[in-house]
Amino acid sequence: MPATTTPGRDSWRILEHSSITADGPPLYQFKTVIPVAGAILLVQGIVEIIRCGICLKEGDWPSREEDVEEVDVDKLKEMVHVKDEDIQKLDAYVLKQEHGK
C-alpha cells in the first residue's frame, strides 16, 4: 500500500517553484506554512473552548484586560523625544514629496 503524502511534503521534495515566470518564486515554503497556521488556529480554538468552560463553571466571563496593554501615546512620544510640531513638519514634508512625484 502506498504511503500517503501531503502537498507540502511533495512540494519540498521537488523544490516546487511557481510557473508564472521562467524562474518563478519558490512555493514549497508557503505550502508548509498552511498546515502550521492551521495547527495554530486549532490550538487557539481549543483555548477558547477551555475559556468558555471556565465561564460556564464560574458563571463569569474571564477578563481579557490582562491580555493587552493600552499604549499611552504621550508617554511614547516623550520616550522617543518627539513633539507634535515635529510630527506635523514630517507630515507636511511627506505630503510635499508625494505631490512632487
Side-chain angles (χ1 to χ4, degrees), residues 5 7 38 40 43 45 74 84 94 101:
T5 59
I40 291 170
V43 170
D74 293 328
D84 288 334
V94 169
K101 288 183 180 180

Side-chain angles (χ1 to χ4, degrees), residues 69-80:
E69 185 178 325
E70 291 292 326
V71 176
D72 186 354
V73 176
D74 293 328
K75 189 182 275 187
L76 184 61
K77 287 180 191 176
E78 187 178 304
M79 283 174 40
V80 295

Side-chain angles (χ1 to χ4, degrees), residues 4-93:
T4 59
T5 59
T6 61
R9 188 177 306 152
D10 290 342
S11 187
W12 272 95
R13 193 179 66 222
I14 63 171
L15 297 177
E16 183 179 9
H17 283 70
S18 173
S19 61
I20 293 175
T21 62
D23 188 25
L27 294 176
Y28 50 96
Q29 299 102 333
F30 297 111
K31 286 191 175 182
T32 302
V33 170
I34 294 169
V36 170
I40 291 170
L41 285 173
L42 178 66
V43 170
Q44 183 181 7
I46 292 168
V47 169
E48 287 297 321
I49 290 171
I50 292 169
R51 196 175 184 99
C52 289
I54 292 170
C55 174
L56 291 172
K57 184 177 179 183
E58 295 180 0
D60 188 32
W61 188 255
S63 173
R64 293 181 188 251
E65 291 180 11
E66 299 89 33
D67 295 350
V68 295
E69 185 178 325
E70 291 292 326
V71 176
D72 186 354
V73 176
D74 293 328
K75 189 182 275 187
L76 184 61
K77 287 180 191 176
E78 187 178 304
M79 283 174 40
V80 295
H81 308 292
V82 174
K83 298 177 184 168
D84 288 334
E85 298 83 34
D86 298 332
I87 295 172
Q88 290 171 353
K89 288 177 187 176
L90 180 61
D91 287 342
Y93 175 77

